[in-house]
Amino acid sequence: MQRQRGFTLLELLVVMVIIGLLVGYVAPRYFAQLGKSEINAAQAQIDALETALDIYRLDMGFYPEQDKGLQALVDPAENNPRWRGPYLEKNIPLDPWGQPYQYQIPGDRGEYDLFSYGKDRQPGGSGENADIYNR
């Protein structure tokens, strides 16, 4: 009669500890890179919106008013033949955290401010929670 060979409980525990150590080492590095990629994506979208706003200004002679906001880039200006939009190929994107970009004119940092509140969706913060502004 032949005995069936299997893993002992101790061997299984050792393997689980090794897997746990690997996950504990790799996971923080992976999620740190994920946070950086969201910040980079937000900055790229802000840059694209900034370009659309500049083209709007070239056509219209001014940036969109506060009450119209970024929607002015896709909605035709009423009774203004200078509007040559839409200035975005698609609708206005949300930031990587699913929130609308903030537009403020006049801005505190320039003619206008275009920004995302970041991961925490609150003003201020640091790291991944920091606000991301146009340059």
Side-chain angles (χ1 to χ4, degrees):
M1 184 166 171
Q2 224 175 7
R3 279 184 54 190
Q4 291 184 348
R5 178 101 169 110
F7 293 107
T8 65
L9 182 59
L10 182 61
E11 290 171 327
L12 289 174
L13 287 174
V14 168
V15 168
M16 290 181 69
V17 166
I18 291 171
I19 290 173
L21 289 172
L22 288 173
V23 168
Y25 179 74
V26 172
R29 295 182 190 285
Y30 170 76
F31 288 114
Q33 290 301 320
L34 181 63
K36 288 179 187 175
S37 68
E38 289 173 331
I39 292 169
N40 291 338
Q43 191 63 61
Q45 286 179 327
I46 287 173
D47 291 345
L49 289 169
E50 201 172 18
T51 299
L53 285 166
D54 290 341
I55 295 170
Y56 178 97
R57 181 179 184 201
L58 287 173
D59 288 348
M60 301 293 286
F62 53 88
Y63 287 112
E65 298 167 3
Q66 182 70 42
D67 62 331
K68 298 210 188 318
L70 297 176
Q71 198 61 39
L73 298 173
V74 292
D75 290 343
E78 297 174 14
N79 302 322
N80 195 327
R82 297 178 69 183
W83 195 84
R84 290 182 171 66
Y87 296 92
L88 295 172
E89 289 183 23
K90 299 178 181 177
N91 232 350
I92 301 162
L94 297 176
D95 71 13
W97 303 278
Q99 300 299 309
Y101 285 99
Q102 305 298 310
Y103 174 74
Q104 178 182 325
I105 189 163
D108 296 329
R109 298 169 173 238
E111 286 189 72
Y112 65 87
D113 290 341
L114 181 60
F115 59 97
S116 165
Y117 285 125
K119 185 177 183 177
D120 67 353
R121 300 175 176 141
Q122 303 287 328
S126 61
E128 291 179 29
N129 295 327
D131 299 344
I132 304 163
Y133 278 86
N134 58 315
R135 298 169 199 212

